[in-house]
Amino acid sequence: MTLLNRSLKYLSISLLPVVSLWAVVFYFNMLDEIKESVDEGLENYKRLLIQKARTSPEILTKDRMGENFFSVSEISRERALSARDRYVDTLIDMQDADDETPEPEPVRMLVTAFEQDGRYYTLHIINPMVEEDDLIEELFRETIGLYLILVTSIILINNFVLKRLWKPFYSLLQQLTQYRLGSSEHLPQAKTDTREFKNLQQAVNILLQHTTATYEQQKQFIGNASHELRTPLAIAISKLELLLEKGNLDEVQAGSISEVLQIVERLVRLNKSLLLLAKIENRQFLDNQAVSINKIVREGINDLEEIAAFRNVHISLKETAQLSVRMDAALAGVAVLNLLRNAVFHNVPDGMVHVHILQHAVRVCNTGKTEPLIPEKIFTRFYKPDAGTAGTGLGLAIVKAVCGLYNFTVSYQFDEDMHCFEISFA
């Protein structure tokens, strides 16, 4: 969910209790206003009736509520003097045009007293009120309408106003997503007058400049170190091979030189593997293109055929799908070949290697040790289940690094006495 939509979601949820509270307050305020307006009408009607009673004494005989909505009855002087104007809410049976029989209807009643020709009377005047049920129902509809109008307005403001306001931020974010260390020529730039966005852009660019400088220094160091190590190692191998070719060494000396030669060759492989890991972590392999995993697997099996035959290991391939992945072709070859080499070199005599290409994954299973490996350790650098093996302990770590670079998944299972490694490209 984008930042704009998330803000819209929280704003809409926050508005609901605010509008609900507003509706309650508005209801009571409106009810008070209605009552005050009705009371003013009753007060005015009272004055008119008292004035009319002086000229039309027949009003004083209306002791029941009629169509004029008032009644008059005579009371004692003491009761009249102690009386005060009272406004009360009550119900009176009334029949509207849509009612078949009289029904109780809410009314506002004024109870007052007055004096006429030395005699005292109490006056009851009523005025129909809006039914509270109707008022609440109408207010509920109005509140829902108001809420929908507010949410619609927020959506429109969000899409046309706030989206334009946040445009520099999204532009900067897109440029950051596309930025590549060592290959991008320009730092991300977004045109904006907003101070916060300017500060963000400045902080990001300072960080990128520092990171780029560190990256270049690290890349240069790795290249120099690899070159400086490669030359003396190559010289050492050449001289050791030359000593062995002279043939004037006894068996013990030749064996010792052969062991040293193997160690130096292992250092060469270790140097290459560390250099490859460093390049992967520095994202120096990003020549992404459509790569056929089927083709890479077949080429890898073909390259390992002689070694597998020498070790009496049989390799079988099952292709149930044509798997194509967009990634660096060199890294795809490294990942697949390392899994195949791992399956061949860590096998047993007369062992088996089963390679299965699925719709979105490649699975390599091999015979080997009869107990499972430790899943938490097998992908760590320099880890070797058998300390006597001549490998560098970096093969599976390189596979893990390649998968991490492209957000692929590599997993291990021990199934039916087979060690199975699977790269999922989905």
Side-chain angles (χ1 to χ4, degrees), residues 2-216:
T2 64
L3 180 62
L4 287 176
N5 290 334
R6 188 176 293 273
S7 64
L8 174 62
K9 171 186 173 183
Y10 289 133
L11 189 57
S12 300
I13 294 174
S14 302
L15 275 178
L16 187 58
V18 173
V19 172
S20 301
L21 179 62
W22 170 87
V24 173
V25 174
F26 180 75
Y27 166 76
F28 286 107
N29 287 338
M30 187 165 61
L31 198 58
D32 287 341
E33 289 293 330
I34 292 174
K35 287 183 178 181
E36 287 181 7
S37 178
V38 171
D39 291 348
E40 289 178 0
L42 290 172
E43 178 68 23
N44 184 59
Y45 195 22
K46 178 193 78 170
R47 288 195 299 268
L48 293 176
L49 286 173
I50 293 174
Q51 291 175 3
K52 191 173 183 180
R54 294 191 178 98
T55 58
S56 303
E58 66 271 10
I59 292 178
L60 302 176
T61 62
K62 296 183 178 295
D63 57 351
R64 291 186 180 182
M65 290 287 178
E67 59 183 8
N68 293 319
F69 298 104
F70 71 90
S71 66
V72 180
S73 58
E74 188 173 356
I75 57 174
S76 64
R77 179 176 182 275
E78 292 76 12
R79 185 179 172 186
L81 293 176
S82 62
R84 297 289 183 271
D85 287 356
R86 290 186 298 115
Y87 297 92
V88 295
D89 295 320
T90 185
L91 296 174
I92 290 183
D93 290 336
M94 301 176 65
Q95 187 173 3
D96 296 334
D98 57 347
D99 295 335
E100 295 181 359
T101 59
E103 295 181 356
E105 298 289 345
V107 296
R108 187 76 167 167
M109 178 182 291
L110 170 60
V111 181
T112 187
F114 67 95
E115 182 266 337
Q116 177 75 20
D117 298 331
R119 302 174 71 177
Y120 297 90
Y121 302 90
T122 181
L123 174 63
H124 293 75
I125 309 172
I126 64 171
N127 194 355
M129 288 277 293
V130 180
E131 292 189 27
E132 291 191 15
D133 291 343
D134 295 338
L135 182 61
I136 292 174
E137 182 179 348
E138 181 65 23
L139 184 59
F140 177 76
R141 288 198 298 266
E142 295 295 333
T143 302
I144 294 298
L146 175 63
Y147 178 73
L148 293 178
I149 291 173
L150 286 174
V151 171
T152 304
S153 301
I154 292 172
I155 293 175
L156 294 176
I157 293 172
N158 183 73
N159 288 333
F160 292 101
V161 179
L162 294 183
K163 194 172 184 179
R164 184 176 179 182
L165 177 65
W166 283 88
K167 186 177 180 180
F169 172 79
Y170 286 112
S171 175
L172 183 64
L173 183 61
Q174 183 181 10
Q175 292 179 60
L176 282 173
T177 305
Q178 298 173 350
Y179 188 84
R180 294 291 180 268
L181 285 176
S183 58
S184 297
E185 297 180 359
H186 303 290
L187 293 173
Q189 296 290 335
K191 295 181 180 180
T192 177
D193 295 326
T194 306
R195 183 175 60 186
E196 287 78 5
F197 290 159
K198 285 184 176 180
N199 293 340
L200 176 62
Q201 179 175 286
Q202 183 179 4
V204 167
N205 287 343
I206 291 174
L207 180 61
L208 286 178
Q209 288 173 348
H210 176 72
T211 305
T212 302
T214 304
Y215 166 78
E216 294 296 335

Side-chain angles (χ1 to χ4, degrees), residues 222-237 264 267-268 271-272 275 279:
I222 291 171
N224 293 340
S226 175
H227 177 75
E228 294 298 328
L229 284 172
R230 188 182 302 134
T231 302
L233 288 174
I235 295 174
I237 291 175
V264 175
L267 284 174
V268 172
N271 180 50
K272 290 181 179 180
L275 178 61
K279 288 183 177 181

Side-chain angles (χ1 to χ4, degrees), residues 293-340:
I293 300 299
N294 301 68
K295 180 180 178 182
I296 290 177
V297 169
R298 288 194 294 269
E299 290 176 352
I301 292 175
N302 185 60
D303 292 340
L304 293 171
E305 272 186 356
E306 293 184 4
I307 299 176
F310 177 77
R311 292 174 172 266
N312 293 326
V313 174
H314 176 69
I315 304 176
S316 64
L317 172 62
K318 181 180 180 182
E319 301 178 72
T320 57
Q322 291 297 316
L323 179 56
S324 179
V325 180
R326 186 166 184 80
M327 63 183 298
D328 187 277
L331 289 185
V334 167
V336 171
L337 187 60
N338 276 6
L339 282 186
L340 294 174

